Amino acid sequence: ASVHVAAINANKPSEDRSLIHVAAGAKTPYALMGVFDGHSGTTAADFAQAHLVDFVRHACSVMEQRKPTGSKHNAVADALALALLNADAVLLGRAALGNKDDGLPGACVIASYLVGRHVYVLGAGDCRAVLGSSAAPARAPQLMSDIDRARVSTSCSGEGPTATPPSSELVPNAPGGRPLFATPLTYDQHGETGSEVARIRSTHPGEYD
């Protein structure tokens, strides 16, 4: 297996970062790969690149120690979402204690957490994860958790509450001459997504600017 990253500068210097972390020797082997789309600077993207692995490792460790009695997929999804929220809180806390301008840059996050035969996708913002496969997935991606700004999906689980699944699209002229199915694993969170607009307005009533 191999992992490839391609980047095109929208700004100079680029405000985007990527992460590839493979823990093959861990008690439970896993891999975490992410893309961080920085905005108004690199502070948030740099922080995610440097520290998201630690937050995920800690959150998953706490989850395992608590020995969840329900669906393990839900527990992993919650752990990933809380890892992102904790990272966000620490970054903002550092800005509050130091240079407040460090709290202005932000980043959209998309990350894939692979463990065993399962892949969990963590998204915040309008970055998008797409699964490429030689056949249409037998199971549609399922929304597993919604904790504030974090959305976690898994494409391999048969458990948990289902969301309206995105449809797979056939790409007939894929590289190598074989057809490829493209299946979105996340949905965009921005001002043109109706559900996201409703969530923000319910969280911040009366703030329509």
Side-chain angles (χ1 to χ4, degrees), residues 122-173:
L122 172 65
D126 58 3
C127 290
R128 186 176 298 181
V130 179
L131 173 69
S133 58
S134 58
R139 294 173 177 169
Q142 293 181 320
L143 183 67
M144 300 297 294
S145 180
D146 177 6
I147 302 179
D148 292 340
R149 298 177 299 280
R151 298 274 183 171
V152 183
S153 301
T154 174
S155 64
C156 300
S157 166
E159 303 178 32
T162 60
T164 302
S167 59
S168 297
E169 180 179 347
L170 177 63
V171 183
N173 298 317

Side-chain angles (χ1 to χ4, degrees), residues 9-82:
N9 286 6
N11 299 320
K12 292 185 179 181
S14 174
E15 297 176 339
D16 304 335
R17 300 292 184 266
S18 60
L19 164 70
I20 299 174
H21 177 79
V22 179
K27 180 180 179 181
T28 302
Y30 69 92
L32 180 69
M33 289 156 282
V35 173
F36 315 112
D37 177 12
H39 298 152
S40 302
T42 64
T43 302
D46 286 338
F47 183 85
Q49 182 186 48
H51 300 294
L52 185 59
V53 170
D54 295 329
F55 283 100
V56 168
R57 185 187 296 118
H58 174 73
C60 289
S61 175
V62 171
M63 178 267 297
E64 291 176 356
Q65 292 174 8
R66 291 177 177 174
K67 297 180 180 180
T69 57
S71 166
K72 185 175 181 179
H73 295 298
N74 284 337
V76 173
D78 289 346
L80 293 175
L82 289 172

Side-chain angles (χ1 to χ4, degrees), residues 160-206:
T162 60
T164 302
S167 59
S168 297
E169 180 179 347
L170 177 63
V171 183
N173 298 317
R178 293 184 296 179
L180 187 69
F181 285 88
T183 305
L185 301 182
T186 57
Y187 66 90
D188 298 342
Q189 299 176 48
H190 52 55
E192 296 180 2
T193 303
S195 60
E196 184 66 6
V197 172
R199 184 190 69 80
I200 293 173
R201 287 182 174 174
S202 65
T203 306
H204 303 275

